Amino acid sequence: MDRLTLFSTPIFSFTDAGDPELDRELVRRLVVESERSPGIGRSNSGGWHSVPDLTQRPEACYQDLMHRVVARVQAAFLEIARGQGVEVGLPYRFAVQAWAMVMRHGDHALVHDHAEAHFSVAYYPDAGDADPAMYPDSGKLSFVDPRRGGTTIPGVDLFPSQFAIAPQPGMLVVFPGWLQHFVQPYRGGRPRVSISCNVRFEVDTGR
């Protein structure tokens, strides 16, 4: 019997992307900003969503994070290419758009995608303080199966329609921009701070 696994969706989780000192500065700045600025509305239901200008901010905590983001996206891209036997022959530069979200108790994000981006990133300088025993799904980043739904076999779920990741401080998640995702309601006392990025690959012509 031959078996093929078709249309797999790669999701990468990096637990070594944190910088505790810079992340504390990120959290401090963003929580203060969330208390002083109304923010904007996008996929967030409740919570605070910054304007998407983090890549233009000169402070080291923002600029260093953008370098960490690009490095992990590059690593994910090359890993996918190697796994598929694809040779990467073009030089690329990366266009990054980034914004922050600060969630408090009860806040969540609706199902959405970033189809205009090649890859999307979620980074967690502070994942909050929800009790996982009491709220096991609090603030989880949840992905939706992009394939058309089918009939479920009674008594067994061979093809789950969702997959969730529990954020941790310093975790960075890379996934295809077209993949639909949402954030389950956060249940904690301390603000949950995340930074999202859209990354596009552009051919570097050297100009």
Side-chain angles (χ1 to χ4, degrees), residues 75-163:
F77 167 64
L78 293 174
E79 178 65 21
I80 296 170
R82 279 193 296 266
Q84 296 184 5
V86 175
E87 183 176 348
V88 179
L90 293 174
Y92 293 104
R93 59 188 179 90
F94 303 91
V96 183
Q97 183 185 53
W99 62 95
M101 290 189 67
V102 178
M103 290 186 171
R104 293 175 172 83
H105 189 85
D107 298 335
H108 62 283
L110 306 175
V111 176
H112 65 288
D113 61 47
H114 306 283
E116 71 280 7
H118 293 122
F119 287 96
S120 288
V121 171
Y123 179 68
Y124 303 94
D126 191 337
D129 61 355
D131 182 351
M134 185 175 294
Y135 303 110
D137 294 325
S138 170
K140 284 187 175 180
L141 174 61
S142 298
F143 298 98
V144 180
D145 189 339
R147 298 167 296 186
R148 183 176 61 86
T151 302
T152 301
I153 300 172
V156 61
D157 192 0
L158 292 180
F159 309 107
S161 61
Q162 295 182 11
F163 174 79

Side-chain angles (χ1 to χ4, degrees), residues 145-204:
D145 189 339
R147 298 167 296 186
R148 183 176 61 86
T151 302
T152 301
I153 300 172
V156 61
D157 192 0
L158 292 180
F159 309 107
S161 61
Q162 295 182 11
F163 174 79
I165 291 178
Q168 303 173 21
M171 175 183 284
L172 189 150
V173 182
V174 179
F175 55 95
W178 48 258
L179 182 61
Q180 287 193 318
H181 55 285
F182 64 97
V183 178
Q184 300 190 34
Y186 171 60
R187 306 293 184 187
R190 190 172 73 239
R192 173 193 185 274
V193 181
S194 63
I195 293 172
S196 298
C197 304
N198 283 341
V199 182
R200 287 186 59 85
F201 286 50
E202 300 176 352
V203 177
D204 189 351

